[in-house]
Each structure stands twice: as C-alpha cells, then as structure tokens.
C-alpha cells in the first residue's frame, strides 16, 4: 500500500546516469522507505568536456563490490565504475549498455548480443564468459548478495560465442530486464575477482570512471575512463565523492557551492533548496523513482488477510500525508509505486478515504475491535515520524493502534 510520493532528483550530465537503489523492508512490522533525492546546481549550458563533479554522499562507502555492497551509498560509486547488460533511461525505459541488442524468442529465454570494443579497466575485453561468471556469482548463495532473489528465475546461462549470452528462465519474469539494469547486476572481470578474492577495494569494472583510492576522510575520486566504449563520454574528468552524513551540513554544502550534487535530500530540505535559484530540481512528478510505502509480512496475522490490508488502505488520507509529512513536496500514489505518466502505471485505486468500507472489511475479517502493531523508525527520520502520526490518527477510528518503535 503506497502512501505518498516519488521524490524529485536530477542527474549530472556526465554521460552516465548515477544509479539509485531502493531500500527494502523486511520483518513483521511495517517499515517506511527512506527518501533518496538528488539535487544539482542549475546550468543551462550544453555539456562540455572537462571538470570535476563534487558529490556529497549521505553515507560513507564501505565496499565497491557490486554483488555484495550493503547500502545505497555504494550504488553511487558502482553505477559509475561498472556497466550492466542494460540500463534505464531518464524516462525509465530499458536501453542498451554492454548488450547492444537482445531478443526474447520465447517467454523463458533472453538472448543478448554484446557490443564490440567494450573492455574492462585493466584492458581485457568484456566477453560473454564474464557476463555468465558475473550473474552466476550474483546467484551463488555463498556470495551473500542481498539482491539475489531478484535474479533466481535465471535457471541456466549459455555462451555460444564471445558476444552472445543466453539466459534460460525457470518461469517467465517480466521484471528481469529492469533488475538487470540495477547496479547489483553489474558485469565484473573474472580475472580481477580471482586475483583479489573479491571486489571490496578492487576495480573490476568497465564503466565510464576508474575507481580511485579512498582517502583518510573517506572521500573518493573517480577518474575518467579513456577507453570507455561510448565514444567521447563521459564529459567529466573526475567525480569526487565526500561523505557528509549530517542532513543539514550536506544540504548547506550544495547551497554554498562546496558540492555540485548531494544524495538523500528529505522533503523538509527540498522546500528550502527549491527557493535557491542556483539549485535545480526537475519538475516531472516521480522523476527520482523513490517512494514511501507500507510493507506487510503477508504470512503473519493480521496482515495475512487481504481484507485487513485493504481496510488500512481505505482509511488513509494520502493527501494529508503529502501535506503534513512532506510539506507538499510530493504527490499521492493511488495505484502502486509507478507514477501515472509511466506506461506501466495502473488506474487509480486508492483515492478518497472510506472509513465505512474499511470498518466493514475489518468486521468481515474478524477484527471489528481492531488490533495493534508496531512501526520501527530511526530518530533521524523526522518525516517518517510525521507520517506515522498521521497514520495513528487515520487508523484510530478502526480501533487500530500503532506503537512507535524509535531506534
């Protein structure tokens, strides 16, 4: 059940999109996704070669291994150092990356043709065997990838020649191409992995930037890859990333010009930054792909009953959450996490709250007197607390009590 909006973001014209990873929720209780927004200094000029982009990260990068990296911060680096078979365009369409083309001869088979001339940063060519090794490494439970389940429909991989990769699926999977565009599906050099044991501090990529050394302050500089396969790209000579964990300090840095782009901008800071003419925020709703939602463990009562989940959905005033929790920096999601302008969006389902219908569903499910559950949140997430307070008020007439577990 989606609560509110997809945050705004902008991506620098470096010739390569910076990838973002959505956080995932687990366990019994309801969790709220954290907002990840990016803001860049406005510029109306055409991109030119040269220069360094300074990025303020919300976390320090702990690993550069795309198959095991633990959090969102790593994705900003991995998305620039590594390439994948396919990519996502700014309007969320699947586009070629290492694979120049692909076809699906039947619902359970994908055939990819790799582009010519792609090389890893050590100069060795990217081949179908590297793709096979990368995906099998990702799927190996011993690797410990938190994204492994996104790819388990891949049953086997064939490599009939150096430029052809055939994925055989155990069942049709309409989301597989989208997952293959994620940083966790990055193609790595088998030689580099085997030489170093893993990629925690090593560069096994073929992306537009070369991995540099981490400095004492945990900052990192990525240098332009002169052998990148996409012509004259990237435009930038380097990308310098500095961890600035404090929200206020990070947003102050982009206003002062100390950074050109910052990650994880929550709604309360978006309004402030929007007023600064030097900062650019795209106007298109849903441009960041980020959203807030409630996730239920459908295997445990009472959330194992779809009538209970539907009753909660009917009771929530999404417009009020956007106003109170996000300061109107967002829009309600009325039918899943995909914004209405996207081709895969659904017709609106959740529009206005309907308490009578919600009460009827709860009574039918055997919860006429309501129940209680906990929501865990972290102390730094003020916007989440405001959301929970709105939820408490909305669900109280149903006899549902929310306990706040603040970490």
């Amino acid at each position: 059940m989606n609560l509110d909006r997809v945050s705004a973001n902008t991506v620098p014209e470096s010739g390569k999109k910076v990838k973002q990873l959505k956080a995932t929720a687990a366990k019994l209780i309801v969790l709220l996704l954290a907002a990840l927004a990016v803001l860049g200094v406005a510029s109306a000029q055409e991109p030119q070669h040269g220069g360094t982009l300074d990025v303020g990260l919300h976390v320090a990068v702990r690993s550069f291994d795309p198959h095991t990296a633990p959090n969102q911060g790593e994705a900003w680096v991995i998305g620039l150092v590594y390439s994948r078979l396919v990519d996502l365009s700014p309007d969320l369409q699947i586009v070629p990356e290492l694979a120049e083309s692909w076809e699906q001869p039947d619902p359970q088979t994908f055939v990819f043709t790799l582009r010519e001339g792609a090389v890893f940063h050590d100069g060795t060519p990217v081949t179908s065997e590297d793709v096979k090794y990368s995906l099998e490494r990702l799927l190996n439970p011993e690797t410990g990838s938190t994204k492994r389940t996104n790819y388990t429909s891949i049953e086997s991989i064939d490599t009939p020649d150096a430029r052809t990769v055939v994925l055989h699926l155990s069942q049709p999977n309409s989301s597989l191409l989208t997952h293959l565009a994620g940083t966790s599906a990055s193609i790595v050099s088998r030689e580099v992995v085997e030489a170093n044991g893993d990629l925690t501090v090593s560069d096994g990529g073929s992306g537009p930037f070369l991995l540099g050394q981490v400095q004492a302050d945990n900052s990192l500089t990525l240098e332009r890859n002169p052998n990148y396969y996409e012509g004259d790209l990237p435009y930038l000579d380097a990308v310098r990333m500095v961890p600035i964990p404090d929200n206020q300090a990070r947003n102050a840095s982009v206003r002062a010009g100390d950074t050109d782009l910052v990650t994880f901008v929550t709604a309360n800071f978006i309004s402030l930054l929007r007023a600064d003419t030097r900062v650019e925020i795209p106007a298109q709703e849903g441009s960041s792909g980020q959203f807030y939602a409630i996730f239920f463990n459908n295997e445990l009562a009472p959330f194992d009953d779809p009538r209970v989940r539907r009753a909660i959905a009917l009771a929530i005033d999404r417009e009020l959450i956007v106003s109170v929790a996000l300061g109107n920096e967002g829009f309600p999601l009325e039918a899943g996490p995909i914004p209405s302008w996207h081709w895969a969006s659904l017709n609106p389902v959740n529009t206005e709250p309907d308490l009578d219908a919600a009460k009827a569903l709860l009574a039918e499910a055997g919860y006429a007197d309501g129940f209680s559950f906990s929501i865990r949140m972290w102390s730094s997430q003020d916007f989440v607390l405001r959301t929970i307070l709105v939820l408490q008020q909305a669900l109280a007439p149903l006899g549902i009590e929310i306990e706040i577990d603040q970490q």
Side-chain angles (χ1 to χ4, degrees):
M1 177 184 56
N2 298 293
L3 295 184
D4 37 37
R5 112 124 185 197
V6 179
S7 316
N9 81 320
T10 186
V11 178
E13 290 288 347
S14 62
K16 182 76 174 181
K17 298 192 304 300
V18 180
K19 292 294 190 299
Q20 305 166 359
L21 293 182
K22 284 187 285 204
T24 54
K27 299 297 248 184
L28 151 78
I29 46 185
V30 176
L31 297 178
L32 295 176
L33 284 182
L36 173 60
V38 183
L39 298 135
V41 175
S43 174
Q45 299 177 348
E46 290 295 320
Q48 299 178 5
H49 286 93
T52 297
L53 183 77
D54 288 299
V55 179
L57 293 176
H58 61 288
V59 292
V61 176
R62 292 179 286 169
S63 170
F64 303 115
D65 193 323
H67 300 154
T68 62
N71 65 42
Q72 295 173 345
E74 279 79 5
W76 288 90
V77 177
I78 292 167
L80 296 177
V81 174
Y82 289 85
S83 301
R84 288 140 297 281
L85 284 173
V86 294
D87 201 0
L88 283 176
S89 67
D91 60 351
L92 305 183
Q93 303 300 310
I94 303 294
V95 295
E97 195 164 57
L98 284 174
E100 65 179 13
S101 64
W102 60 90
E103 59 180 351
Q104 192 172 8
D106 61 70
Q108 293 176 226
T109 306
F110 282 94
V111 181
F112 295 90
T113 300
L114 302 183
R115 67 171 70 235
E116 292 188 85
V119 297
F120 289 109
H121 295 159
D122 63 1
T124 58
V126 178
T127 70
S128 58
E129 287 297 327
D130 292 299
V131 175
K132 177 177 178 168
Y133 171 78
S134 299
L135 296 179
E136 288 181 344
R137 181 175 186 259
L138 172 62
L139 285 165
N140 187 344
E142 294 184 3
T143 301
S145 173
T146 59
K147 300 297 188 296
R148 175 180 175 273
T149 55
N150 291 337
Y151 308 93
T152 50
S153 62
I154 301 175
E155 191 169 52
S156 63
I157 305 172
D158 291 335
T159 56
D161 58 58
R163 293 184 56 212
T164 305
V165 179
V166 183
L167 303 185
H168 300 283
L169 310 186
S170 59
Q171 60 186 19
N173 185 348
S174 61
S175 65
L176 182 60
L177 282 176
T178 301
H179 288 307
L180 288 173
T183 53
S184 56
S186 295
I187 306 306
V188 305
S189 166
R190 180 172 188 164
E191 291 185 12
V192 173
V193 175
E194 293 180 344
N196 294 276
D198 60 32
L199 297 171
T200 302
V201 295
S202 302
D203 183 345
S206 60
F209 290 92
L210 309 175
L211 182 63
Q213 295 295 316
V214 178
Q215 304 302 314
D217 61 354
N218 285 324
S219 64
L220 171 72
T221 299
L222 309 179
E223 298 180 353
R224 184 180 188 274
N225 176 12
N227 299 315
Y228 187 48
Y229 49 78
E230 289 196 19
D232 292 335
L233 300 180
Y235 290 105
L236 293 169
D237 290 332
V239 177
R240 183 165 49 241
M241 298 186 174
V242 180
I244 310 175
D246 182 78
N247 287 338
Q248 187 167 347
R250 190 168 61 258
N251 290 288
S253 73
V254 77
R255 298 186 68 196
D258 297 329
T259 56
D260 303 303
L261 180 150
V262 293
T263 66
F264 198 93
V265 179
T266 52
N268 55 319
F269 284 105
I270 291 177
S271 297
L272 178 65
L273 291 167
R274 193 183 296 281
D276 194 322
T277 57
R278 299 168 299 172
V279 177
E280 179 181 329
I281 302 176
Q284 187 178 35
E285 290 185 336
S287 57
S288 77
Q290 303 305 305
F291 62 95
Y292 307 136
I294 288 181
F295 292 96
F296 300 104
N297 186 333
N298 296 349
E299 296 181 353
L300 298 178
F303 303 122
D304 58 343
D305 192 321
R307 293 169 295 185
V308 172
R309 302 194 299 270
R310 180 62 182 151
I312 293 176
L314 285 168
I316 293 174
D317 187 339
R318 290 161 179 75
E319 291 282 2
L320 185 60
I321 291 177
V322 171
S323 173
V324 173
L326 298 181
N328 289 317
E329 291 293 344
F331 62 91
L333 289 172
E334 299 176 338
I338 301 176
S340 59
W341 53 265
H342 190 266
W343 65 267
S345 64
L346 303 175
N347 293 327
V349 175
N350 304 302
T351 52
E352 299 295 326
D354 189 339
L355 285 178
D356 291 337
K359 289 178 180 179
L361 282 171
L362 283 181
E364 183 181 325
Y367 295 97
D369 296 328
F371 54 88
S372 64
F373 67 96
S374 297
I375 291 182
R376 180 173 296 169
M377 62 161 291
W378 284 261
S379 58
S380 61
Q381 297 176 315
D382 291 339
F383 67 99
V384 175
L385 177 59
R386 292 192 294 270
T387 298
I388 296 172
L389 294 176
V390 174
L391 291 177
Q392 284 180 322
Q393 181 181 1
L395 301 184
L398 305 181
I400 298 177
E401 296 181 356
I402 299 177
E403 301 169 1
I404 301 175
D405 180 9
Q406 191 163 351
Q407 302 292 305

Short mmCIF file of all heavy atoms in Angstrom, two decimals, residues 124-159:
data_model
loop_
_atom_site.label_atom_id
_atom_site.label_comp_id
_atom_site.label_asym_id
_atom_site.label_seq_id
_atom_site.Cartn_x
_atom_site.Cartn_y
_atom_site.Cartn_z
N THR A 124 41.38 -5.79 -20.58
CA THR A 124 40.90 -7.06 -21.12
C THR A 124 39.49 -6.89 -21.66
O THR A 124 38.69 -6.12 -21.11
CB THR A 124 40.93 -8.16 -20.06
OG1 THR A 124 40.12 -7.76 -18.94
CG2 THR A 124 42.35 -8.41 -19.57
N PRO A 125 39.14 -7.61 -22.73
CA PRO A 125 37.81 -7.44 -23.33
C PRO A 125 36.70 -8.01 -22.46
O PRO A 125 36.90 -8.98 -21.72
CB PRO A 125 37.92 -8.20 -24.66
CG PRO A 125 39.00 -9.21 -24.43
CD PRO A 125 39.99 -8.55 -23.50
N VAL A 126 35.52 -7.40 -22.55
CA VAL A 126 34.33 -7.92 -21.89
C VAL A 126 33.73 -8.99 -22.80
O VAL A 126 33.38 -8.71 -23.95
CB VAL A 126 33.29 -6.81 -21.64
CG1 VAL A 126 32.05 -7.40 -20.98
CG2 VAL A 126 33.89 -5.71 -20.77
N THR A 127 33.61 -10.22 -22.31
CA THR A 127 33.09 -11.32 -23.12
C THR A 127 31.85 -11.93 -22.47
O THR A 127 31.52 -11.64 -21.32
CB THR A 127 34.15 -12.42 -23.30
OG1 THR A 127 34.34 -13.09 -22.03
CG2 THR A 127 35.47 -11.84 -23.78
N SER A 128 31.21 -12.81 -23.21
CA SER A 128 30.03 -13.50 -22.69
C SER A 128 30.37 -14.33 -21.46
O SER A 128 29.53 -14.50 -20.58
CB SER A 128 29.42 -14.38 -23.79
OG SER A 128 30.37 -15.33 -24.25
N GLU A 129 31.61 -14.84 -21.39
CA GLU A 129 32.01 -15.62 -20.22
C GLU A 129 32.04 -14.75 -18.97
O GLU A 129 31.75 -15.21 -17.86
CB GLU A 129 33.38 -16.27 -20.45
CG GLU A 129 33.35 -17.43 -21.44
CD GLU A 129 32.49 -18.58 -20.95
OE1 GLU A 129 32.42 -18.82 -19.71
OE2 GLU A 129 31.87 -19.26 -21.80
N ASP A 130 32.42 -13.48 -19.11
CA ASP A 130 32.39 -12.56 -17.97
C ASP A 130 30.97 -12.31 -17.51
O ASP A 130 30.70 -12.21 -16.30
CB ASP A 130 33.07 -11.23 -18.35
CG ASP A 130 34.56 -11.37 -18.59
OD1 ASP A 130 35.27 -11.77 -17.66
OD2 ASP A 130 34.99 -11.11 -19.72
N VAL A 131 30.05 -12.18 -18.47
CA VAL A 131 28.64 -11.99 -18.11
C VAL A 131 28.12 -13.21 -17.36
O VAL A 131 27.47 -13.09 -16.31
CB VAL A 131 27.80 -11.73 -19.37
CG1 VAL A 131 26.31 -11.65 -19.00
CG2 VAL A 131 28.25 -10.45 -20.06
N LYS A 132 28.41 -14.39 -17.88
CA LYS A 132 27.98 -15.62 -17.22
C LYS A 132 28.57 -15.72 -15.82
O LYS A 132 27.86 -16.02 -14.85
CB LYS A 132 28.39 -16.83 -18.05
CG LYS A 132 28.04 -18.16 -17.39
CD LYS A 132 28.38 -19.35 -18.26
CE LYS A 132 28.04 -20.64 -17.52
NZ LYS A 132 28.07 -21.81 -18.35
N TYR A 133 29.87 -15.45 -15.70
CA TYR A 133 30.52 -15.51 -14.39
C TYR A 133 29.87 -14.53 -13.42
O TYR A 133 29.61 -14.85 -12.25
CB TYR A 133 32.01 -15.20 -14.53
CG TYR A 133 32.71 -15.03 -13.21
CD1 TYR A 133 33.07 -16.13 -12.44
CD2 TYR A 133 33.00 -13.76 -12.71
CE1 TYR A 133 33.70 -15.98 -11.21
CE2 TYR A 133 33.62 -13.59 -11.50
CZ TYR A 133 33.98 -14.71 -10.75
OH TYR A 133 34.59 -14.54 -9.53
N SER A 134 29.59 -13.31 -13.87
CA SER A 134 29.03 -12.27 -13.01
C SER A 134 27.66 -12.66 -12.48
O SER A 134 27.38 -12.53 -11.28
CB SER A 134 28.93 -10.94 -13.77
OG SER A 134 30.20 -10.50 -14.19
N LEU A 135 26.79 -13.12 -13.37
CA LEU A 135 25.44 -13.48 -12.95
C LEU A 135 25.44 -14.73 -12.07
O LEU A 135 24.66 -14.83 -11.11
CB LEU A 135 24.54 -13.66 -14.16
CG LEU A 135 24.30 -12.40 -15.01
CD1 LEU A 135 23.41 -12.70 -16.20
CD2 LEU A 135 23.70 -11.28 -14.16
N GLU A 136 26.30 -15.68 -12.38
CA GLU A 136 26.38 -16.87 -11.54
C GLU A 136 26.98 -16.52 -10.17
O GLU A 136 26.57 -17.11 -9.16
CB GLU A 136 27.22 -17.94 -12.23
CG GLU A 136 26.50 -18.56 -13.42
CD GLU A 136 27.30 -19.64 -14.12
OE1 GLU A 136 28.53 -19.71 -13.89
OE2 GLU A 136 26.71 -20.41 -14.90
N ARG A 137 27.91 -15.59 -10.14
CA ARG A 137 28.44 -15.13 -8.85
C ARG A 137 27.35 -14.45 -8.03
O ARG A 137 27.24 -14.65 -6.82
CB ARG A 137 29.60 -14.16 -9.09
CG ARG A 137 30.28 -13.62 -7.82
CD ARG A 137 31.49 -12.79 -8.19
NE ARG A 137 32.23 -12.38 -7.01
CZ ARG A 137 32.17 -11.18 -6.45
NH1 ARG A 137 31.38 -10.24 -6.98
NH2 ARG A 137 32.87 -10.89 -5.37
N LEU A 138 26.54 -13.64 -8.69
CA LEU A 138 25.42 -12.96 -8.03
C LEU A 138 24.42 -13.97 -7.48
O LEU A 138 23.87 -13.80 -6.38
CB LEU A 138 24.75 -12.01 -9.02
CG LEU A 138 23.45 -11.33 -8.62
CD1 LEU A 138 23.66 -10.44 -7.41
CD2 LEU A 138 22.90 -10.51 -9.79
N LEU A 139 24.18 -15.04 -8.22
CA LEU A 139 23.19 -16.04 -7.83
C LEU A 139 23.72 -17.03 -6.79
O LEU A 139 22.92 -17.71 -6.13
CB LEU A 139 22.73 -16.81 -9.07
CG LEU A 139 21.77 -16.07 -10.00
CD1 LEU A 139 21.67 -16.77 -11.34
CD2 LEU A 139 20.40 -15.95 -9.35
N ASN A 140 25.02 -17.12 -6.64
CA ASN A 140 25.60 -18.07 -5.69
C ASN A 140 25.28 -17.64 -4.26
O ASN A 140 25.67 -16.55 -3.84
CB ASN A 140 27.11 -18.13 -5.89
CG ASN A 140 27.76 -19.21 -5.06
OD1 ASN A 140 27.17 -19.75 -4.11
ND2 ASN A 140 29.00 -19.54 -5.39
N PRO A 141 24.58 -18.46 -3.48
CA PRO A 141 24.24 -18.08 -2.10
C PRO A 141 25.48 -17.74 -1.25
O PRO A 141 25.39 -16.92 -0.34
CB PRO A 141 23.53 -19.32 -1.55
CG PRO A 141 22.99 -20.01 -2.77
CD PRO A 141 24.01 -19.77 -3.84
N GLU A 142 26.62 -18.33 -1.58
CA GLU A 142 27.84 -18.07 -0.81
C GLU A 142 28.35 -16.65 -1.02
O GLU A 142 29.09 -16.12 -0.19
CB GLU A 142 28.92 -19.08 -1.17
CG GLU A 142 28.58 -20.52 -0.75
CD GLU A 142 29.71 -21.48 -1.03
OE1 GLU A 142 30.78 -21.02 -1.49
OE2 GLU A 142 29.54 -22.70 -0.79
N THR A 143 27.96 -16.02 -2.13
CA THR A 143 28.36 -14.63 -2.37
C THR A 143 27.71 -13.70 -1.35
O THR A 143 28.29 -12.70 -0.94
CB THR A 143 27.98 -14.20 -3.79
OG1 THR A 143 28.63 -15.06 -4.73
CG2 THR A 143 28.39 -12.75 -4.06
N GLY A 144 26.48 -14.02 -0.95
CA GLY A 144 25.80 -13.23 0.07
C GLY A 144 25.15 -11.98 -0.44
O GLY A 144 24.99 -11.01 0.30
N SER A 145 24.72 -11.97 -1.70
CA SER A 145 24.07 -10.78 -2.25
C SER A 145 22.67 -10.62 -1.67
O SER A 145 21.88 -11.56 -1.66
CB SER A 145 23.97 -10.89 -3.77
OG SER A 145 23.19 -9.82 -4.30
N THR A 146 22.36 -9.42 -1.21
CA THR A 146 21.02 -9.14 -0.69
C THR A 146 20.00 -9.01 -1.82
O THR A 146 18.80 -8.99 -1.58
CB THR A 146 21.01 -7.84 0.13
OG1 THR A 146 21.45 -6.75 -0.70
CG2 THR A 146 21.95 -7.96 1.33
N LYS A 147 20.47 -8.90 -3.06
CA LYS A 147 19.57 -8.76 -4.22
C LYS A 147 19.42 -10.07 -4.99
O LYS A 147 18.82 -10.09 -6.06
CB LYS A 147 20.10 -7.67 -5.16
CG LYS A 147 20.22 -6.29 -4.52
CD LYS A 147 18.86 -5.78 -4.09
CE LYS A 147 18.93 -4.34 -3.62
NZ LYS A 147 19.75 -4.15 -2.44
N ARG A 148 19.96 -11.15 -4.47
CA ARG A 148 19.97 -12.43 -5.18
C ARG A 148 18.58 -12.86 -5.64
O ARG A 148 18.40 -13.34 -6.76
CB ARG A 148 20.58 -13.50 -4.28
CG ARG A 148 20.55 -14.90 -4.87
CD ARG A 148 21.16 -15.93 -3.92
NE ARG A 148 21.02 -17.28 -4.47
CZ ARG A 148 19.96 -18.06 -4.27
NH1 ARG A 148 18.94 -17.62 -3.53
NH2 ARG A 148 19.91 -19.26 -4.81
N THR A 149 17.57 -12.68 -4.80
CA THR A 149 16.23 -13.18 -5.13
C THR A 149 15.62 -12.50 -6.36
O THR A 149 14.70 -13.03 -6.96
CB THR A 149 15.27 -13.02 -3.94
OG1 THR A 149 15.26 -11.65 -3.52
CG2 THR A 149 15.71 -13.89 -2.77
N ASN A 150 16.15 -11.34 -6.73
CA ASN A 150 15.64 -10.66 -7.93
C ASN A 150 16.01 -11.42 -9.20
O ASN A 150 15.44 -11.14 -10.27
CB ASN A 150 16.20 -9.25 -8.02
CG ASN A 150 15.65 -8.34 -6.94
OD1 ASN A 150 14.58 -8.58 -6.40
ND2 ASN A 150 16.39 -7.28 -6.62
N TYR A 151 16.97 -12.34 -9.10
CA TYR A 151 17.50 -12.99 -10.30
C TYR A 151 17.36 -14.51 -10.29
O TYR A 151 17.86 -15.18 -11.18
CB TYR A 151 18.99 -12.62 -10.45
CG TYR A 151 19.23 -11.14 -10.39
CD1 TYR A 151 19.55 -10.51 -9.18
CD2 TYR A 151 19.10 -10.35 -11.53
CE1 TYR A 151 19.74 -9.15 -9.12
CE2 TYR A 151 19.30 -8.98 -11.47
CZ TYR A 151 19.61 -8.38 -10.26
OH TYR A 151 19.79 -7.03 -10.20
N THR A 152 16.67 -15.05 -9.29
CA THR A 152 16.60 -16.51 -9.16
C THR A 152 15.77 -17.18 -10.24
O THR A 152 15.79 -18.41 -10.35
CB THR A 152 16.05 -16.90 -7.77
OG1 THR A 152 14.84 -16.17 -7.52
CG2 THR A 152 17.05 -16.59 -6.68
N SER A 153 15.07 -16.42 -11.06
CA SER A 153 14.36 -17.03 -12.19
C SER A 153 15.33 -17.46 -13.28
O SER A 153 14.95 -18.20 -14.19
CB SER A 153 13.32 -16.07 -12.77
OG SER A 153 13.94 -14.90 -13.27
N ILE A 154 16.59 -17.00 -13.21
CA ILE A 154 17.61 -17.43 -14.17
C ILE A 154 18.04 -18.85 -13.81
O ILE A 154 18.68 -19.08 -12.79
CB ILE A 154 18.82 -16.49 -14.17
CG1 ILE A 154 18.40 -15.06 -14.53
CG2 ILE A 154 19.88 -16.98 -15.15
CD1 ILE A 154 19.52 -14.04 -14.44
N GLU A 155 17.69 -19.79 -14.66
CA GLU A 155 17.95 -21.21 -14.37
C GLU A 155 19.32 -21.65 -14.88
O GLU A 155 20.03 -22.42 -14.23
CB GLU A 155 16.85 -22.06 -14.99
CG GLU A 155 16.85 -23.50 -14.55
CD GLU A 155 15.59 -24.22 -15.00
OE1 GLU A 155 15.28 -24.15 -16.21
OE2 GLU A 155 14.90 -24.82 -14.15
N SER A 156 19.69 -21.17 -16.07
CA SER A 156 20.99 -21.51 -16.63
C SER A 156 21.40 -20.45 -17.64
O SER A 156 20.57 -19.66 -18.11
CB SER A 156 20.96 -22.89 -17.31
OG SER A 156 20.06 -22.90 -18.40
N ILE A 157 22.71 -20.43 -17.95
CA ILE A 157 23.26 -19.41 -18.85
C ILE A 157 24.16 -20.10 -19.87
O ILE A 157 25.07 -20.85 -19.50
CB ILE A 157 24.08 -18.35 -18.08
CG1 ILE A 157 23.22 -17.73 -16.97
CG2 ILE A 157 24.61 -17.29 -19.03
CD1 ILE A 157 24.00 -16.82 -16.04
N ASP A 158 23.92 -19.84 -21.15
CA ASP A 158 24.76 -20.37 -22.22
C ASP A 158 25.54 -19.24 -22.87
O ASP A 158 25.07 -18.09 -22.94
CB ASP A 158 23.90 -21.06 -23.29
CG ASP A 158 23.26 -22.34 -22.79
OD1 ASP A 158 23.82 -22.94 -21.85
OD2 ASP A 158 22.20 -22.73 -23.34
N THR A 159 26.73 -19.58 -23.37
CA THR A 159 27.58 -18.61 -24.07
C THR A 159 28.07 -19.25 -25.36
O THR A 159 29.21 -19.71 -25.45
CB THR A 159 28.77 -18.17 -23.20
OG1 THR A 159 29.51 -19.34 -22.79
CG2 THR A 159 28.29 -17.43 -21.96
#
